[in-house]
Amino acid sequence: MTPQPRILVVEDEPAIAELIAINLRHGGLLPVCTGDGARAQRELDAVLPDLILLDWMLPDVSGLELARRWRAHPRSKSVPILMLTARGDEPDKVAGLDAGADDYITKPFSTQELLARIRAVLRRRAPEQTCDVVAGGGLLLDGATVRVSWRGDALRLGPTEFRLLHYLMKHPERVHSRAQLLDKIWGDHVYIEERTVDVHIKRLREALGDAAVLVQTVRGAGYRFAAPTEVRIG
Amino acid sequence: MTPQPRILVVEDEPAIAELIAINLRHGGLLPVCTGDGARAQRELDAVLPDLILLDWMLPDVSGLELARRWRAHPRSKSVPILMLTARGDEPDKVAGLDAGADDYITKPFSTQELLARIRAVLRRRAPEQTCDVVAGGGLLLDGATVRVSWRGDALRLGPTEFRLLHYLMKHPERVHSRAQLLDKIWGDHVYIEERTVDVHIKRLREALGDAAVLVQTVRGAGYRFAAPTEVRIG
DNA sequence: ACGCAATGTGACAGTGTTGTGACAGTACGG
DNA sequence: CCGTACTGTCACAACACTGTCACATTGCGT
């Protein structure tokens, strides 16, 4: 599990989503909010969260449908799902758990109850974390053990550096703006100077040593993880 | 989203409203100021803005009430609201977010913070851009990775050269006047010498090397991206 | 061939962007 | 309570990029 468990919040009502986000953050979790199934899917494709907080009612598809779909997909199969439903209808509860939800919670709920249930699910899942390894250009990053190695030698990274590298390596070649990185790594709804990203990139490069060339600056656009362009000899 | 996002500023103190307006304008946004709820409502009925900057205290109604009302109305439901309040009282914050605000900023605030928060909200609302690759005449340009290659070899372009080539390649064959290029690539709100386009075209050609023949001059009209015209025989 | 207008080109100072070191605040474990 | 590790911000330096100019070159009509 990453230092700060990532929680993907799928909730269409912005006010509630924000409320949840605040509480999660306060509880030491890292919320990422999405308002519909499509966005949630994209987010899920990007970085696998430690837990999904899934609202029953969504604008595009039902939470039930999403849960079933994610449970069927091998990549997201093992991510625990906590269902969020308006009233404690017994049929819903059964259907939700049937679709693969690990637990469910009914609105309105207290902050403590939400956190407690999330922690319970995380704890239950913790021991059997599946592998989440990314490799590229001689670097090897393991999300499960929180370790990075360069040609076999272990590297020492701080938490933020690790998450930064993790995200960059999951989307190699692609250029990410500072704003995007803030959203994805620090979580949305937090206000941080964009230049802070630069500083962490520097610290990351320091820690990477020789592998620093893999983290490239694209002037006027952002940063990217990639093997340096080959020199063609012809 | 319009090229220049419209921001409806609802703030009763003229001095503060003006200050905000100046900062927004400077940040590339288009502010429209109103001093009370009634005017704001009229403005909202007239043209839907991209974001609403809403003061907590207003002469006629509370910002909270406005937010709730706008959130309930289908027309204005999806316009993000950024609440503005004098002190960072947590109860107020929760109430504001509960009423439908997307984010919250407390006075006094820095210019940068205001702009950053506005951009963050706008960004969150904007759909995630899909990959855009353009190819033509042996050139390949990828907007996501910000890379250009000529018959497989990577090319090094500056930011403006990249945008210029991107635009030209997106509309091949077509001739673009210098004025059009300035509008599309530099933005329509800045005044720049038309000859500057020529200079960037030259730099672009330099960077393109052999592929420079694809960027053609049409005397008296402008520039165009196209495969060179064949020599007509017969 | 000539003159005019349009375009190419090299140079340059100003600006903006990024790298970097330092610093204070915070969290955490001993 | 103190030390350690980490974070976010800032100020400054280094550097790339930008816009403009002056001048060279080209194209075109007469």
Side-chain angles (χ1 to χ4, degrees):
Chain A
M1 176 133 36
T2 40
Q4 212 180 6
R6 296 175 148 280
I7 313 293
L8 176 59
V9 180
V10 190
E11 161 66 60
D12 59 321
E13 192 59 49
I16 298 180
E18 174 61 10
L19 212 57
I20 291 174
I22 292 174
N23 286 323
L24 294 189
R25 235 189 310 277
H26 195 260
L29 305 166
L30 180 60
V32 177
C33 299
T34 59
D36 56 66
R39 282 167 201 277
Q41 184 65 59
R42 269 201 298 278
E43 199 59 47
L44 206 55
D45 292 338
V47 180
L48 225 46
D50 296 297
L51 183 142
I52 301 170
L53 200 54
L54 179 60
D55 190 23
W56 183 268
M57 292 293 293
L58 292 173
D60 47 352
V61 290
S62 87
L64 195 69
E65 174 54 33
L66 280 180
R68 217 190 303 277
R69 190 199 307 169
W70 289 336
R71 267 299 132 81
H73 198 288
R75 179 172 151 78
S76 51
K77 198 169 64 177
S78 62
V79 179
I81 297 174
L82 209 165
M83 282 287 239
L84 207 57
T85 159
R87 242 161 271 150
D89 301 319
E90 196 63 17
D92 280 9
K93 172 172 178 175
V94 172
L97 293 173
D98 199 39
D102 290 71
D103 200 354
Y104 89 111
I105 187 168
T106 61
K107 300 190 228 180
F109 47 80
S110 78
T111 302
Q112 278 111 3
E113 181 180 1
L114 178 64
L115 282 175
R117 280 184 188 268
I118 287 177
R119 294 219 176 90
V121 172
L122 286 178
R123 211 179 312 120
R124 213 176 304 146
R125 286 281 165 155
E128 52 152 311
Q129 271 292 331
T130 52
C131 70
D132 175 21
V133 271
V134 208
L139 263 183
L140 193 140
L141 179 148
D142 187 336
T145 62
V146 196
R147 290 232 153 87
V148 186
S149 60
W150 163 242
R151 301 200 210 272
D153 298 328
L155 298 177
R156 264 182 51 83
L157 302 200
T160 307
E161 289 146 41
F162 183 86
R163 270 178 287 152
L164 187 50
L165 180 62
H166 193 181
Y167 183 75
L168 290 177
M169 286 184 74
K170 277 221 165 162
H171 309 274
E173 290 295 332
R174 192 174 188 113
V175 174
H176 308 273
S177 70
R178 290 162 177 72
Q180 282 171 354
L181 291 173
L182 280 178
D183 267 13
K184 301 296 185 183
I185 290 150
W186 277 258
D188 34 18
H189 293 264
V190 231
Y191 171 69
I192 303 232
E193 285 290 329
E194 292 206 339
R195 287 304 307 280
T196 300
V197 176
D198 297 26
V199 178
H200 280 275
I201 286 280
K202 169 190 157 28
R203 288 169 180 160
L204 172 59
R205 283 172 170 155
E206 239 165 46
L208 286 180
D210 291 339
V213 288
L214 298 173
V215 177
Q216 300 163 8
T217 305
V218 180
R219 190 168 243 270
Y223 295 98
R224 121 179 99 198
F225 179 89
T229 38
E230 320 252 335
V231 179
R232 194 69 70 96
I233 302 172
Chain B
M1 178 137 32
T2 42
Q4 211 181 7
R6 303 172 70 83
I7 313 294
L8 175 59
V9 180
V10 190
E11 162 66 61
D12 59 322
E13 191 61 49
I16 297 180
E18 179 58 18
L19 202 62
I20 291 175
I22 291 174
N23 286 323
L24 294 189
R25 242 189 305 274
H26 192 261
L29 305 167
L30 182 61
V32 178
C33 297
T34 59
D36 57 67
R39 282 166 201 278
Q41 185 63 61
R42 269 201 298 279
E43 198 59 46
L44 205 56
D45 291 337
V47 181
L48 223 46
D50 294 299
L51 184 143
I52 301 171
L53 199 56
L54 179 60
D55 191 24
W56 183 269
M57 292 293 295
L58 292 172
D60 48 352
V61 289
S62 86
L64 195 70
E65 176 52 34
L66 280 180
R68 217 189 305 275
R69 190 200 306 168
W70 289 335
R71 266 298 133 81
H73 197 289
R75 177 173 152 79
S76 53
K77 197 168 67 176
S78 63
V79 179
I81 298 174
L82 209 166
M83 284 287 239
L84 205 59
T85 164
R87 242 165 278 146
D89 301 319
E90 194 66 17
D92 280 9
K93 174 168 185 174
V94 171
L97 294 170
D98 200 40
D102 288 74
D103 201 355
Y104 181 95
I105 189 168
T106 63
K107 299 190 230 180
F109 48 79
S110 76
T111 302
Q112 288 171 341
E113 180 177 2
L114 178 63
L115 283 175
R117 281 188 186 265
I118 287 177
R119 294 215 179 92
V121 172
L122 289 177
R123 199 187 322 124
R124 220 171 296 142
R125 288 285 164 143
E128 187 102 6
Q129 62 171 8
T130 54
C131 70
D132 55 337
V133 279
V134 209
L139 262 183
L140 194 139
L141 179 148
D142 186 335
T145 63
V146 193
R147 281 195 147 131
V148 186
S149 61
W150 162 244
R151 300 197 208 275
D153 296 329
L155 299 178
R156 263 185 54 84
L157 303 200
T160 307
E161 289 145 41
F162 186 86
R163 270 178 290 151
L164 187 50
L165 180 62
H166 195 179
Y167 182 75
L168 290 177
M169 288 183 73
K170 264 199 177 169
H171 310 276
E173 297 296 336
R174 187 178 183 135
V175 177
H176 307 273
S177 71
R178 291 165 176 75
Q180 280 174 332
L181 292 172
L182 280 177
D183 267 15
K184 300 295 185 182
I185 291 151
W186 276 259
D188 41 5
H189 57 299
V190 279
Y191 176 71
I192 302 220
E193 286 290 329
E194 292 206 338
R195 288 304 309 281
T196 299
V197 176
D198 298 25
V199 178
H200 280 276
I201 286 281
K202 169 194 156 25
R203 288 169 180 161
L204 173 58
R205 283 171 171 156
E206 233 166 50
L208 286 180
D210 293 339
V213 288
L214 296 173
V215 177
Q216 300 161 9
T217 306
V218 179
R219 199 179 172 81
Y223 296 98
R224 130 181 93 193
F225 179 89
T229 34
E230 314 267 331
V231 179
R232 195 75 67 94
I233 301 174

